[in-house]
Amino acid sequence: MKKFTITNIRKIFLLGICFAAGNNLQAQETEETKVESFMSNFSISGSVDTYFRTNFNGLNKYEYNEAGDIIACPQAPASSFANDPGFAIGMANVILGYEGEKVGFVADLVFGPRGEDAVFASGAPSNIVNQLYAYWNVSDAVTLTLGNFNTFLGYEVISPAANFNYSTSYMFFYGPFSHTGIKADFTINDNWSAMLAIMNPTDWTKFNPYGKYSFGGQLGYSNTNGSAYLNLLYGEQMPISDEATFQIDLTTGWDFTDSFYLGLNTTYNTTDGAGFYGAALYPQFQTSDSFAIGLRAEYFKELEDGGPVYGADAEAIDFTLTGNYTVGSLTIKPELRLDKVSNTPSPVFVNSDLDGTDNLSSFVLAAVYAF
């Protein structure tokens, strides 16, 4: 039998240290691999927007009487996030996302007036949360999503980086902004898709205060030239009424040539006879690699039993001409807009002489940086 000499003990000790160090190094490499794998699927994106706005034939400032009381306010269409006079801010939007093979999440945060208007029903401190959801790709054909997500209805969206026009349409502004609930997306084949959802009342994203639920559905078709989506929403929205809201909406857009695109949105919304319907065309021309010009031509009609904007039976027409000049990640948007509102008891706008008028013409210069 060998005797354990001091030299042998030292050798054994050194071997133990090397073995432990090797295991520790392997563990560190495994942990680093996990971190690298996570970060490769993690993303940060978003946008920052700001603008200047002025009216050509309406008030651009507050008017006061001799007692110091406000008698008239700056004028703006009742449909636009971009509704403050002079130089103003939109919002900062930061989107954190993780897209794994089977699971993922999105945390979409907004800061500023545009974001606050979009999440108006959330309440502090959740009024910076635009979207917050997790999803599971159950299979190649089915995805389940749980949480707060932006609406599937309508042509336009909250983020100005994803809209061609900077101001928004009446149909978008008075349709849903966001939902909280669970939805299932189905890929039927390479062209067709569908979605079913159960959600809180519209725009109640933080929790459900009424114990009522809405149901949503979507049927979609897409190919390399464009897409079309038929959207449905049905459910009780308010605690004081058992009447359900029904909305049907068609959103579509197609590239007819390399330089010409045409979009269309139509919608009908009713709750116990009150509501609205409308249609908008979105032709857009790409004149060069850095510049495009587009028009929104919208007709918006409130129902005879009442509407959300100007009142029962009111009609609004909106023509918005917008340029998009792109410099890297920055898009500069000059925009001319004309609104005309009729069938109201009195004019809805006030001109610079403090007289009522049924129309308002305005100009916006916006800058949107996307990252």
Side-chain angles (χ1 to χ4, degrees), residues 89-115:
I89 59 174
M91 72 177 186
N93 183 203
V94 180
I95 305 171
L96 309 177
Y98 175 80
E99 186 175 356
E101 182 179 354
K102 283 290 187 180
V103 297
F105 70 82
V106 168
D108 181 347
L109 308 178
V110 290
F111 308 88
R114 188 181 183 113

PDB file of all heavy atoms in Angstrom, residues 89-115:
ATOM      1  N   ILE A  89     -45.965  67.960 -28.367  1.00  0.00           N
ATOM      2  CA  ILE A  89     -45.358  66.630 -28.353  1.00  0.00           C
ATOM      3  C   ILE A  89     -46.424  65.561 -28.556  1.00  0.00           C
ATOM      4  O   ILE A  89     -47.583  65.732 -28.179  1.00  0.00           O
ATOM      5  CB  ILE A  89     -44.581  66.373 -27.048  1.00  0.00           C
ATOM      6  CG1 ILE A  89     -45.502  66.493 -25.817  1.00  0.00           C
ATOM      7  CG2 ILE A  89     -43.404  67.327 -26.927  1.00  0.00           C
ATOM      8  CD1 ILE A  89     -44.827  66.102 -24.503  1.00  0.00           C
ATOM      9  N   GLY A  90     -46.017  64.456 -29.152  1.00  0.00           N
ATOM     10  CA  GLY A  90     -46.893  63.306 -29.328  1.00  0.00           C
ATOM     11  C   GLY A  90     -46.661  62.304 -28.221  1.00  0.00           C
ATOM     12  O   GLY A  90     -47.248  62.385 -27.150  1.00  0.00           O
ATOM     13  N   MET A  91     -45.739  61.361 -28.458  1.00  0.00           N
ATOM     14  CA  MET A  91     -45.441  60.385 -27.410  1.00  0.00           C
ATOM     15  C   MET A  91     -44.092  59.731 -27.675  1.00  0.00           C
ATOM     16  O   MET A  91     -43.563  59.756 -28.796  1.00  0.00           O
ATOM     17  CB  MET A  91     -46.528  59.319 -27.313  1.00  0.00           C
ATOM     18  CG  MET A  91     -46.557  58.323 -28.454  1.00  0.00           C
ATOM     19  SD  MET A  91     -47.819  57.041 -28.189  1.00  0.00           S
ATOM     20  CE  MET A  91     -47.486  55.950 -29.578  1.00  0.00           C
ATOM     21  N   ALA A  92     -43.545  59.142 -26.629  1.00  0.00           N
ATOM     22  CA  ALA A  92     -42.416  58.227 -26.741  1.00  0.00           C
ATOM     23  C   ALA A  92     -42.957  56.824 -26.520  1.00  0.00           C
ATOM     24  O   ALA A  92     -43.689  56.572 -25.576  1.00  0.00           O
ATOM     25  CB  ALA A  92     -41.342  58.567 -25.703  1.00  0.00           C
ATOM     26  N   ASN A  93     -42.597  55.925 -27.412  1.00  0.00           N
ATOM     27  CA  ASN A  93     -43.116  54.556 -27.399  1.00  0.00           C
ATOM     28  C   ASN A  93     -41.944  53.581 -27.342  1.00  0.00           C
ATOM     29  O   ASN A  93     -41.066  53.621 -28.202  1.00  0.00           O
ATOM     30  CB  ASN A  93     -43.956  54.333 -28.668  1.00  0.00           C
ATOM     31  CG  ASN A  93     -44.604  52.965 -28.750  1.00  0.00           C
ATOM     32  OD1 ASN A  93     -44.926  52.503 -29.838  1.00  0.00           O
ATOM     33  ND2 ASN A  93     -44.825  52.301 -27.634  1.00  0.00           N
ATOM     34  N   VAL A  94     -41.908  52.758 -26.304  1.00  0.00           N
ATOM     35  CA  VAL A  94     -40.844  51.763 -26.151  1.00  0.00           C
ATOM     36  C   VAL A  94     -41.494  50.383 -26.059  1.00  0.00           C
ATOM     37  O   VAL A  94     -42.338  50.150 -25.188  1.00  0.00           O
ATOM     38  CB  VAL A  94     -39.991  52.025 -24.896  1.00  0.00           C
ATOM     39  CG1 VAL A  94     -38.902  50.963 -24.766  1.00  0.00           C
ATOM     40  CG2 VAL A  94     -39.378  53.413 -24.944  1.00  0.00           C
ATOM     41  N   ILE A  95     -41.088  49.484 -26.957  1.00  0.00           N
ATOM     42  CA  ILE A  95     -41.674  48.147 -27.022  1.00  0.00           C
ATOM     43  C   ILE A  95     -40.591  47.117 -26.727  1.00  0.00           C
ATOM     44  O   ILE A  95     -39.601  47.006 -27.461  1.00  0.00           O
ATOM     45  CB  ILE A  95     -42.288  47.873 -28.404  1.00  0.00           C
ATOM     46  CG1 ILE A  95     -43.307  48.965 -28.772  1.00  0.00           C
ATOM     47  CG2 ILE A  95     -42.954  46.500 -28.431  1.00  0.00           C
ATOM     48  CD1 ILE A  95     -43.801  48.885 -30.199  1.00  0.00           C
ATOM     49  N   LEU A  96     -40.777  46.378 -25.650  1.00  0.00           N
ATOM     50  CA  LEU A  96     -39.884  45.281 -25.293  1.00  0.00           C
ATOM     51  C   LEU A  96     -40.548  43.975 -25.703  1.00  0.00           C
ATOM     52  O   LEU A  96     -41.724  43.754 -25.407  1.00  0.00           O
ATOM     53  CB  LEU A  96     -39.610  45.270 -23.793  1.00  0.00           C
ATOM     54  CG  LEU A  96     -39.163  46.588 -23.152  1.00  0.00           C
ATOM     55  CD1 LEU A  96     -38.995  46.421 -21.651  1.00  0.00           C
ATOM     56  CD2 LEU A  96     -37.866  47.078 -23.792  1.00  0.00           C
ATOM     57  N   GLY A  97     -39.804  43.109 -26.373  1.00  0.00           N
ATOM     58  CA  GLY A  97     -40.403  41.867 -26.839  1.00  0.00           C
ATOM     59  C   GLY A  97     -39.446  40.698 -26.771  1.00  0.00           C
ATOM     60  O   GLY A  97     -38.223  40.864 -26.865  1.00  0.00           O
ATOM     61  N   TYR A  98     -39.998  39.520 -26.573  1.00  0.00           N
ATOM     62  CA  TYR A  98     -39.229  38.278 -26.637  1.00  0.00           C
ATOM     63  C   TYR A  98     -39.999  37.307 -27.522  1.00  0.00           C
ATOM     64  O   TYR A  98     -41.186  37.058 -27.300  1.00  0.00           O
ATOM     65  CB  TYR A  98     -39.024  37.659 -25.253  1.00  0.00           C
ATOM     66  CG  TYR A  98     -38.339  36.318 -25.304  1.00  0.00           C
ATOM     67  CD1 TYR A  98     -36.965  36.235 -25.454  1.00  0.00           C
ATOM     68  CD2 TYR A  98     -39.071  35.131 -25.249  1.00  0.00           C
ATOM     69  CE1 TYR A  98     -36.328  35.001 -25.533  1.00  0.00           C
ATOM     70  CE2 TYR A  98     -38.440  33.893 -25.326  1.00  0.00           C
ATOM     71  CZ  TYR A  98     -37.063  33.837 -25.467  1.00  0.00           C
ATOM     72  OH  TYR A  98     -36.433  32.627 -25.560  1.00  0.00           O
ATOM     73  N   GLU A  99     -39.305  36.765 -28.524  1.00  0.00           N
ATOM     74  CA  GLU A  99     -39.947  35.852 -29.470  1.00  0.00           C
ATOM     75  C   GLU A  99     -39.193  34.535 -29.474  1.00  0.00           C
ATOM     76  O   GLU A  99     -38.186  34.367 -30.182  1.00  0.00           O
ATOM     77  CB  GLU A  99     -39.968  36.458 -30.873  1.00  0.00           C
ATOM     78  CG  GLU A  99     -40.736  35.640 -31.887  1.00  0.00           C
ATOM     79  CD  GLU A  99     -40.840  36.319 -33.239  1.00  0.00           C
ATOM     80  OE1 GLU A  99     -40.371  37.461 -33.367  1.00  0.00           O
ATOM     81  OE2 GLU A  99     -41.394  35.692 -34.163  1.00  0.00           O
ATOM     82  N   GLY A 100     -39.653  33.604 -28.668  1.00  0.00           N
ATOM     83  CA  GLY A 100     -39.062  32.277 -28.643  1.00  0.00           C
ATOM     84  C   GLY A 100     -39.704  31.364 -29.654  1.00  0.00           C
ATOM     85  O   GLY A 100     -40.608  31.747 -30.402  1.00  0.00           O
ATOM     86  N   GLU A 101     -39.235  30.114 -29.680  1.00  0.00           N
ATOM     87  CA  GLU A 101     -39.791  29.159 -30.636  1.00  0.00           C
ATOM     88  C   GLU A 101     -41.243  28.848 -30.328  1.00  0.00           C
ATOM     89  O   GLU A 101     -42.072  28.713 -31.235  1.00  0.00           O
ATOM     90  CB  GLU A 101     -38.970  27.876 -30.610  1.00  0.00           C
ATOM     91  CG  GLU A 101     -39.437  26.831 -31.611  1.00  0.00           C
ATOM     92  CD  GLU A 101     -38.595  25.569 -31.576  1.00  0.00           C
ATOM     93  OE1 GLU A 101     -37.579  25.547 -30.853  1.00  0.00           O
ATOM     94  OE2 GLU A 101     -38.961  24.599 -32.262  1.00  0.00           O
ATOM     95  N   LYS A 102     -41.588  28.786 -29.052  1.00  0.00           N
ATOM     96  CA  LYS A 102     -42.942  28.435 -28.645  1.00  0.00           C
ATOM     97  C   LYS A 102     -43.654  29.539 -27.868  1.00  0.00           C
ATOM     98  O   LYS A 102     -44.885  29.642 -27.919  1.00  0.00           O
ATOM     99  CB  LYS A 102     -42.906  27.166 -27.788  1.00  0.00           C
ATOM    100  CG  LYS A 102     -42.726  25.876 -28.561  1.00  0.00           C
ATOM    101  CD  LYS A 102     -43.975  25.549 -29.366  1.00  0.00           C
ATOM    102  CE  LYS A 102     -43.897  24.194 -30.025  1.00  0.00           C
ATOM    103  NZ  LYS A 102     -45.123  23.890 -30.807  1.00  0.00           N
ATOM    104  N   VAL A 103     -42.920  30.345 -27.128  1.00  0.00           N
ATOM    105  CA  VAL A 103     -43.543  31.338 -26.254  1.00  0.00           C
ATOM    106  C   VAL A 103     -42.867  32.692 -26.432  1.00  0.00           C
ATOM    107  O   VAL A 103     -41.751  32.789 -26.944  1.00  0.00           O
ATOM    108  CB  VAL A 103     -43.463  30.913 -24.771  1.00  0.00           C
ATOM    109  CG1 VAL A 103     -44.243  29.640 -24.537  1.00  0.00           C
ATOM    110  CG2 VAL A 103     -42.004  30.740 -24.343  1.00  0.00           C
ATOM    111  N   GLY A 104     -43.563  33.731 -25.972  1.00  0.00           N
ATOM    112  CA  GLY A 104     -43.006  35.069 -26.054  1.00  0.00           C
ATOM    113  C   GLY A 104     -43.869  36.057 -25.310  1.00  0.00           C
ATOM    114  O   GLY A 104     -44.911  35.709 -24.744  1.00  0.00           O
ATOM    115  N   PHE A 105     -43.428  37.319 -25.305  1.00  0.00           N
ATOM    116  CA  PHE A 105     -44.199  38.374 -24.646  1.00  0.00           C
ATOM    117  C   PHE A 105     -43.935  39.700 -25.336  1.00  0.00           C
ATOM    118  O   PHE A 105     -42.944  39.865 -26.059  1.00  0.00           O
ATOM    119  CB  PHE A 105     -43.839  38.482 -23.156  1.00  0.00           C
ATOM    120  CG  PHE A 105     -42.462  39.033 -22.883  1.00  0.00           C
ATOM    121  CD1 PHE A 105     -42.222  40.406 -22.885  1.00  0.00           C
ATOM    122  CD2 PHE A 105     -41.402  38.180 -22.615  1.00  0.00           C
ATOM    123  CE1 PHE A 105     -40.962  40.918 -22.637  1.00  0.00           C
ATOM    124  CE2 PHE A 105     -40.132  38.669 -22.362  1.00  0.00           C
ATOM    125  CZ  PHE A 105     -39.903  40.065 -22.376  1.00  0.00           C
ATOM    126  N   VAL A 106     -44.829  40.665 -25.090  1.00  0.00           N
ATOM    127  CA  VAL A 106     -44.672  42.044 -25.536  1.00  0.00           C
ATOM    128  C   VAL A 106     -45.056  42.965 -24.385  1.00  0.00           C
ATOM    129  O   VAL A 106     -46.113  42.784 -23.771  1.00  0.00           O
ATOM    130  CB  VAL A 106     -45.551  42.356 -26.770  1.00  0.00           C
ATOM    131  CG1 VAL A 106     -45.599  43.868 -27.034  1.00  0.00           C
ATOM    132  CG2 VAL A 106     -45.029  41.626 -27.994  1.00  0.00           C
ATOM    133  N   ALA A 107     -44.170  43.923 -24.081  1.00  0.00           N
ATOM    134  CA  ALA A 107     -44.457  44.986 -23.115  1.00  0.00           C
ATOM    135  C   ALA A 107     -44.280  46.308 -23.851  1.00  0.00           C
ATOM    136  O   ALA A 107     -43.157  46.702 -24.158  1.00  0.00           O
ATOM    137  CB  ALA A 107     -43.538  44.897 -21.904  1.00  0.00           C
ATOM    138  N   ASP A 108     -45.398  46.969 -24.159  1.00  0.00           N
ATOM    139  CA  ASP A 108     -45.439  48.169 -25.006  1.00  0.00           C
ATOM    140  C   ASP A 108     -45.811  49.360 -24.119  1.00  0.00           C
ATOM    141  O   ASP A 108     -46.935  49.448 -23.626  1.00  0.00           O
ATOM    142  CB  ASP A 108     -46.473  47.935 -26.111  1.00  0.00           C
ATOM    143  CG  ASP A 108     -46.600  49.104 -27.069  1.00  0.00           C
ATOM    144  OD1 ASP A 108     -46.080  50.193 -26.778  1.00  0.00           O
ATOM    145  OD2 ASP A 108     -47.254  48.927 -28.119  1.00  0.00           O
ATOM    146  N   LEU A 109     -44.855  50.283 -23.916  1.00  0.00           N
ATOM    147  CA  LEU A 109     -45.045  51.403 -23.000  1.00  0.00           C
ATOM    148  C   LEU A 109     -45.111  52.716 -23.774  1.00  0.00           C
ATOM    149  O   LEU A 109     -44.379  52.912 -24.757  1.00  0.00           O
ATOM    150  CB  LEU A 109     -43.901  51.456 -21.982  1.00  0.00           C
ATOM    151  CG  LEU A 109     -43.621  50.159 -21.219  1.00  0.00           C
ATOM    152  CD1 LEU A 109     -42.438  50.344 -20.284  1.00  0.00           C
ATOM    153  CD2 LEU A 109     -44.854  49.701 -20.455  1.00  0.00           C
ATOM    154  N   VAL A 110     -45.983  53.628 -23.325  1.00  0.00           N
ATOM    155  CA  VAL A 110     -46.156  54.921 -23.987  1.00  0.00           C
ATOM    156  C   VAL A 110     -46.057  56.047 -22.960  1.00  0.00           C
ATOM    157  O   VAL A 110     -46.536  55.931 -21.834  1.00  0.00           O
ATOM    158  CB  VAL A 110     -47.506  55.005 -24.731  1.00  0.00           C
ATOM    159  CG1 VAL A 110     -47.506  54.101 -25.946  1.00  0.00           C
ATOM    160  CG2 VAL A 110     -48.670  54.641 -23.818  1.00  0.00           C
ATOM    161  N   PHE A 111     -45.439  57.157 -23.387  1.00  0.00           N
ATOM    162  CA  PHE A 111     -45.270  58.321 -22.527  1.00  0.00           C
ATOM    163  C   PHE A 111     -45.589  59.569 -23.345  1.00  0.00           C
ATOM    164  O   PHE A 111     -45.029  59.777 -24.416  1.00  0.00           O
ATOM    165  CB  PHE A 111     -43.826  58.406 -22.003  1.00  0.00           C
ATOM    166  CG  PHE A 111     -43.330  57.139 -21.351  1.00  0.00           C
ATOM    167  CD1 PHE A 111     -42.730  56.144 -22.111  1.00  0.00           C
ATOM    168  CD2 PHE A 111     -43.482  56.943 -19.990  1.00  0.00           C
ATOM    169  CE1 PHE A 111     -42.269  54.976 -21.521  1.00  0.00           C
ATOM    170  CE2 PHE A 111     -43.027  55.781 -19.390  1.00  0.00           C
ATOM    171  CZ  PHE A 111     -42.422  54.799 -20.158  1.00  0.00           C
ATOM    172  N   GLY A 112     -46.489  60.407 -22.850  1.00  0.00           N
ATOM    173  CA  GLY A 112     -46.839  61.622 -23.566  1.00  0.00           C
ATOM    174  C   GLY A 112     -48.315  61.697 -23.873  1.00  0.00           C
ATOM    175  O   GLY A 112     -49.067  60.740 -23.674  1.00  0.00           O
ATOM    176  N   PRO A 113     -48.787  62.859 -24.381  1.00  0.00           N
ATOM    177  CA  PRO A 113     -50.221  63.086 -24.591  1.00  0.00           C
ATOM    178  C   PRO A 113     -50.889  62.071 -25.509  1.00  0.00           C
ATOM    179  O   PRO A 113     -52.003  61.623 -25.228  1.00  0.00           O
ATOM    180  CB  PRO A 113     -50.256  64.492 -25.214  1.00  0.00           C
ATOM    181  CG  PRO A 113     -49.015  65.157 -24.739  1.00  0.00           C
ATOM    182  CD  PRO A 113     -47.987  64.076 -24.656  1.00  0.00           C
ATOM    183  N   ARG A 114     -50.237  61.701 -26.612  1.00  0.00           N
ATOM    184  CA  ARG A 114     -50.861  60.738 -27.530  1.00  0.00           C
ATOM    185  C   ARG A 114     -51.063  59.399 -26.836  1.00  0.00           C
ATOM    186  O   ARG A 114     -52.113  58.767 -26.969  1.00  0.00           O
ATOM    187  CB  ARG A 114     -49.993  60.577 -28.780  1.00  0.00           C
ATOM    188  CG  ARG A 114     -50.639  59.739 -29.879  1.00  0.00           C
ATOM    189  CD  ARG A 114     -49.718  59.601 -31.080  1.00  0.00           C
ATOM    190  NE  ARG A 114     -50.342  58.870 -32.176  1.00  0.00           N
ATOM    191  CZ  ARG A 114     -50.675  59.380 -33.358  1.00  0.00           C
ATOM    192  NH1 ARG A 114     -50.460  60.651 -33.595  1.00  0.00           N
ATOM    193  NH2 ARG A 114     -51.227  58.638 -34.297  1.00  0.00           N
ATOM    194  N   GLY A 115     -50.063  58.963 -26.086  1.00  0.00           N
ATOM    195  CA  GLY A 115     -50.180  57.717 -25.354  1.00  0.00           C
ATOM    196  C   GLY A 115     -51.231  57.767 -24.267  1.00  0.00           C
ATOM    197  O   GLY A 115     -51.994  56.818 -24.066  1.00  0.00           O
TER     198      GLY A 115
END
